[in-house]
Amino acid sequence: TERREYHIHHTGGKMKFKRGGDLWFQDLKFQKQLEEFGMRSQRRMVEATGNAILKLHENIVVDTPVDTGAAASNWFIGANKASDKTTDDTSLQNVVEAHAVVSAAKMNPNQVKSFVIYNNLDYIPYLEYGWSMQAPQGMYRKNIVKWRKILDAEAKKVSRQR
């Protein structure tokens, strides 16, 4: 029995086939389908990661010790980078801002490589490492260990969507 190998080449246009030669696949629909698949995958990845980062952010804010509320109000989310931002506002507006950052990322999924949770207050390391009796295990370390579980749960939710 003679064994033949076929090679598929994508060059744009229409499909061509040469007997005994390579199969030239020039279907623009196929290329468009591949591009759409890539975009859907990127969108779903950003959606799942964004939802998970919001959950993690919420957990960290809730677990942050409260005296004036400044520490909890200075946890921010950044897309691709942190900033040197701080705030004197203790109304937890940072939670609303976090949702806005993630929503913007979901609208432009190709622009997002990572999310960052950060707090620029000088005393955050002291709170994280047991300075407060309200959170002796810290707030970031306590929650970051749950990251994989949170992300997996959000990925499952997103994968069920059509």
Side-chain angles (χ1 to χ4, degrees), residues 52-66 71-77 92 94-95 116-119 124 128 135 138-147 150:
I53 205 77
L54 285 171
K55 182 67 175 161
L56 181 63
H57 178 260
E58 177 187 325
N59 292 348
I60 291 169
V61 169
V62 167
D63 287 343
T64 300
V66 177
S73 293
N74 274 276
W75 286 109
F76 298 103
I77 292 178
L92 296 178
N94 58 324
V95 175
V116 182
I117 296 177
Y118 62 96
N119 189 321
I124 284 299
E128 181 62 34
M139 41 295 160
Y140 185 86
R141 290 174 299 142
K142 175 182 173 182
N143 286 291
I144 198 67
V145 297
K146 301 172 189 172
W147 172 249
I150 295 169

Coordinates of all heavy atoms in Angstrom, one line a residue, residues 52-66 71-77 92 94-95 116-119 124 128 135 138-147 150:
A52 N -11.8 36.9 38.8 CA -11.0 36.3 39.9 C -10.3 37.3 40.7 O -10.2 37.3 41.9 CB -10.1 35.2 39.4
I53 N -9.7 38.3 39.9 CA -8.9 39.3 40.6 C -9.8 40.3 41.4 O -9.4 40.7 42.5 CB -8.0 40.1 39.6 CG1 -6.8 40.8 40.3 CG2 -8.8 41.2 38.9 CD1 -5.7 39.8 40.6
L54 N -11.0 40.5 40.9 CA -12.0 41.3 41.7 C -12.4 40.5 43.0 O -12.5 41.2 44.1 CB -13.3 41.5 40.9 CG -13.1 42.6 39.8 CD1 -14.4 42.6 38.9 CD2 -12.9 44.0 40.4
K55 N -12.6 39.2 42.9 CA -12.9 38.4 44.1 C -11.7 38.5 45.1 O -11.9 38.7 46.3 CB -13.2 37.0 43.7 CG -13.6 36.1 44.9 CD -14.9 36.6 45.5 CE -15.4 35.6 46.5 NZ -16.3 36.2 47.4
L56 N -10.5 38.3 44.6 CA -9.3 38.4 45.5 C -9.2 39.8 46.1 O -8.9 39.9 47.3 CB -8.1 38.0 44.7 CG -6.7 38.0 45.4 CD1 -6.8 36.9 46.5 CD2 -5.6 37.7 44.5
H57 N -9.4 40.8 45.3 CA -9.3 42.2 45.8 C -10.3 42.4 46.9 O -10.0 43.0 48.0 CB -9.5 43.1 44.6 CG -9.5 44.6 45.0 ND1 -10.7 45.3 45.2 CD2 -8.5 45.5 45.2 CE1 -10.4 46.5 45.5 NE2 -9.1 46.7 45.5
E58 N -11.5 42.0 46.7 CA -12.6 42.1 47.7 C -12.2 41.4 49.0 O -12.4 42.0 50.0 CB -13.9 41.5 47.1 CG -15.1 41.5 48.1 CD -16.3 40.8 47.5 OE1 -16.5 40.8 46.3 OE2 -17.0 40.1 48.4
N59 N -11.7 40.2 48.9 CA -11.3 39.5 50.1 C -10.2 40.2 50.8 O -10.2 40.2 52.1 CB -10.8 38.0 49.7 CG -11.9 37.2 49.2 OD1 -13.1 37.5 49.3 ND2 -11.5 36.0 48.6
I60 N -9.2 40.7 50.1 CA -8.1 41.5 50.7 C -8.7 42.7 51.4 O -8.3 43.0 52.6 CB -7.0 41.8 49.7 CG1 -6.3 40.5 49.3 CG2 -6.0 42.8 50.3 CD1 -5.4 40.7 48.1
V61 N -9.5 43.5 50.7 CA -10.1 44.7 51.3 C -10.9 44.4 52.6 O -10.7 45.0 53.6 CB -11.0 45.4 50.3 CG1 -11.8 46.5 51.0 CG2 -10.1 46.0 49.2
V62 N -11.7 43.3 52.5 CA -12.5 42.9 53.7 C -11.6 42.5 54.9 O -11.9 42.8 56.0 CB -13.5 41.8 53.3 CG1 -14.1 41.2 54.5 CG2 -14.6 42.4 52.4
D63 N -10.5 41.8 54.6 CA -9.7 41.3 55.7 C -8.6 42.3 56.2 O -7.9 42.1 57.1 CB -8.9 40.1 55.2 CG -9.8 38.9 55.0 OD1 -10.9 38.9 55.6 OD2 -9.4 37.9 54.4
T64 N -8.6 43.5 55.6 CA -7.7 44.6 56.0 C -8.2 45.2 57.3 O -9.3 45.6 57.4 CB -7.5 45.6 54.9 OG1 -7.0 45.0 53.7 CG2 -6.6 46.7 55.3
P65 N -7.3 45.3 58.3 CA -7.7 45.9 59.6 C -8.2 47.3 59.4 O -7.7 48.1 58.6 CB -6.4 45.9 60.4 CG -5.5 44.9 59.8 CD -5.9 44.9 58.3
V66 N -9.2 47.7 60.2 CA -9.8 49.0 60.1 C -9.6 49.8 61.3 O -10.0 49.4 62.4 CB -11.3 48.9 59.8 CG1 -11.9 50.3 59.7 CG2 -11.6 48.1 58.5
A71 N -6.3 52.1 55.1 CA -5.6 50.9 54.6 C -6.4 50.1 53.6 O -6.0 49.8 52.5 CB -5.1 50.0 55.7
A72 N -7.7 49.9 54.0 CA -8.6 49.1 53.1 C -8.9 49.9 51.9 O -9.1 49.3 50.8 CB -9.9 48.8 53.9
S73 N -9.0 51.2 52.0 CA -9.4 52.1 50.8 C -8.2 52.3 49.8 O -8.4 52.9 48.8 CB -9.9 53.4 51.3 OG -11.1 53.2 52.0
N74 N -7.0 51.8 50.2 CA -5.9 52.0 49.3 C -5.4 50.8 48.6 O -4.3 50.7 48.0 CB -4.7 52.6 50.1 CG -4.8 54.1 50.1 OD1 -4.4 54.8 49.2 ND2 -5.4 54.7 51.2
W75 N -6.2 49.7 48.6 CA -6.0 48.6 47.8 C -6.5 48.8 46.4 O -7.7 49.1 46.3 CB -6.6 47.3 48.3 CG -5.9 46.8 49.5 CD1 -6.4 46.8 50.8 CD2 -4.7 46.1 49.6 NE1 -5.5 46.2 51.7 CE2 -4.4 45.7 50.9 CE3 -3.7 45.7 48.6 CZ2 -3.2 45.1 51.3 CZ3 -2.6 45.1 49.0 CH2 -2.3 44.7 50.3
F76 N -5.7 48.8 45.4 CA -6.1 49.1 44.0 C -5.8 47.9 43.1 O -4.9 47.1 43.4 CB -5.4 50.4 43.5 CG -5.8 51.6 44.3 CD1 -4.9 52.1 45.2 CD2 -7.0 52.2 44.1 CE1 -5.2 53.3 45.9 CE2 -7.3 53.4 44.8 CZ -6.4 53.9 45.7
I77 N -6.5 47.9 41.9 CA -6.2 47.0 40.9 C -5.7 47.8 39.7 O -6.2 48.8 39.3 CB -7.4 46.1 40.4 CG1 -7.8 45.2 41.6 CG2 -7.1 45.4 39.1 CD1 -9.1 44.4 41.2
L92 N -14.2 53.5 50.4 CA -14.0 52.3 49.6 C -14.4 52.5 48.2 O -14.8 51.6 47.5 CB -14.8 51.1 50.2 CG -14.3 50.7 51.6 CD1 -15.2 49.5 52.1 CD2 -12.8 50.2 51.6
N94 N -12.3 52.6 46.0 CA -11.3 51.8 45.3 C -12.0 50.5 44.8 O -11.5 50.0 43.8 CB -10.1 51.5 46.2 CG -10.5 50.8 47.5 OD1 -11.6 51.0 48.1 ND2 -9.7 49.9 48.0
V95 N -13.0 50.1 45.4 CA -13.7 48.9 45.0 C -14.5 49.2 43.7 O -14.4 48.4 42.7 CB -14.7 48.3 46.1 CG1 -15.5 47.2 45.5 CG2 -13.9 47.9 47.3
V116 N -2.7 43.6 38.6 CA -1.9 43.8 39.7 C -2.7 44.3 40.9 O -3.5 45.2 40.6 CB -0.7 44.8 39.5 CG1 0.1 45.0 40.7 CG2 0.1 44.4 38.2
I117 N -2.6 43.8 42.1 CA -3.3 44.3 43.3 C -2.1 45.0 44.1 O -1.1 44.3 44.3 CB -4.0 43.2 44.1 CG1 -5.1 42.6 43.3 CG2 -4.5 43.8 45.4 CD1 -5.8 41.5 44.0
Y118 N -2.3 46.2 44.4 CA -1.3 46.9 45.1 C -1.8 47.9 46.2 O -3.0 48.3 46.1 CB -0.4 47.7 44.1 CG -1.1 48.7 43.3 CD1 -1.0 50.1 43.7 CD2 -1.8 48.4 42.2 CE1 -1.7 51.0 43.0 CE2 -2.4 49.4 41.4 CZ -2.3 50.7 41.8 OH -3.0 51.7 41.1
N119 N -1.0 48.3 47.1 CA -1.3 49.2 48.2 C 0.0 50.0 48.5 O 0.9 49.4 48.8 CB -1.9 48.6 49.4 CG -2.4 49.5 50.4 OD1 -1.9 50.6 50.6 ND2 -3.5 49.1 51.1
I124 N 1.6 49.3 55.2 CA 1.0 48.1 54.8 C 1.8 46.9 55.1 O 1.3 45.8 55.6 CB 0.6 48.1 53.3 CG1 -0.7 49.0 53.1 CG2 0.4 46.7 52.7 CD1 -1.9 48.5 53.9
E128 N 0.5 43.6 57.2 CA 0.6 42.3 56.6 C 1.3 41.3 57.4 O 1.0 40.1 57.5 CB 1.3 42.4 55.2 CG 1.4 41.1 54.4 CD 0.1 40.5 54.1 OE1 -0.9 41.3 53.8 OE2 0.0 39.3 54.1
A135 N -5.7 41.4 62.2 CA -5.3 40.6 61.1 C -3.9 40.0 61.3 O -3.0 40.4 60.6 CB -5.4 41.3 59.8
G138 N -2.2 38.6 58.4 CA -2.1 39.5 57.2 C -3.4 39.4 56.5 O -4.4 38.8 56.8
M139 N -3.4 40.1 55.3 CA -4.6 40.1 54.5 C -4.3 39.7 53.1 O -5.0 38.9 52.5 CB -5.3 41.5 54.5 CG -4.6 42.8 54.4 SD -3.6 43.2 55.8 CE -2.6 44.4 55.0
Y140 N -3.1 40.0 52.6 CA -2.7 39.6 51.3 C -2.3 38.1 51.3 O -2.8 37.3 50.5 CB -1.6 40.5 50.7 CG -1.2 40.2 49.3 CD1 -1.8 40.8 48.3 CD2 -0.1 39.3 49.1 CE1 -1.5 40.5 47.0 CE2 0.2 39.0 47.7 CZ -0.4 39.6 46.7 OH -0.1 39.3 45.4
R141 N -1.4 37.8 52.2 CA -0.9 36.4 52.2 C -2.0 35.4 52.5 O -2.1 34.3 51.9 CB 0.2 36.2 53.3 CG 1.5 36.9 53.0 CD 2.4 36.8 54.2 NE 1.8 37.5 55.3 CZ 1.9 37.1 56.6 NH1 2.6 36.0 56.9 NH2 1.4 37.8 57.6
K142 N -2.9 35.8 53.4 CA -4.0 34.9 53.7 C -4.9 34.6 52.5 O -5.5 33.5 52.4 CB -4.8 35.7 54.8 CG -6.1 35.0 55.2 CD -6.8 35.8 56.3 CE -8.1 35.3 56.6 NZ -8.9 36.1 57.6
N143 N -5.0 35.6 51.6 CA -5.9 35.4 50.5 C -5.2 34.9 49.2 O -5.9 34.2 48.4 CB -6.7 36.7 50.2 CG -7.7 37.0 51.2 OD1 -8.7 36.2 51.3 ND2 -7.5 37.9 52.1
I144 N -4.0 35.2 49.0 CA -3.3 34.9 47.8 C -3.2 33.3 47.7 O -3.2 32.8 46.6 CB -1.9 35.5 47.7 CG1 -1.4 35.5 46.2 CG2 -0.9 34.9 48.6 CD1 -2.2 36.3 45.2
V145 N -3.2 32.6 48.8 CA -3.1 31.2 48.8 C -4.4 30.6 48.2 O -4.4 29.4 47.8 CB -2.8 30.5 50.2 CG1 -1.5 31.0 50.6 CG2 -3.9 30.9 51.2
K146 N -5.5 31.4 48.1 CA -6.7 30.9 47.5 C -6.8 31.2 46.1 O -7.9 30.9 45.4 CB -7.9 31.6 48.3 CG -7.9 31.4 49.8 CD -9.0 32.2 50.4 CE -8.9 32.2 51.9 NZ -9.8 33.1 52.6
W147 N -5.8 31.9 45.5 CA -5.9 32.4 44.1 C -6.3 31.3 43.1 O -7.1 31.4 42.3 CB -4.5 33.0 43.7 CG -4.5 33.3 42.2 CD1 -3.7 32.8 41.3 CD2 -5.3 34.3 41.5 NE1 -3.9 33.3 40.1 CE2 -4.9 34.2 40.2 CE3 -6.3 35.2 41.9 CZ2 -5.5 35.0 39.2 CZ3 -6.9 36.0 40.9 CH2 -6.5 35.9 39.6
I150 N -9.9 30.3 43.4 CA -10.8 31.4 42.9 C -10.7 31.4 41.3 O -11.8 31.5 40.7 CB -10.3 32.7 43.5 CG1 -10.6 32.8 45.0 CG2 -11.1 33.9 42.8 CD1 -9.9 34.0 45.7

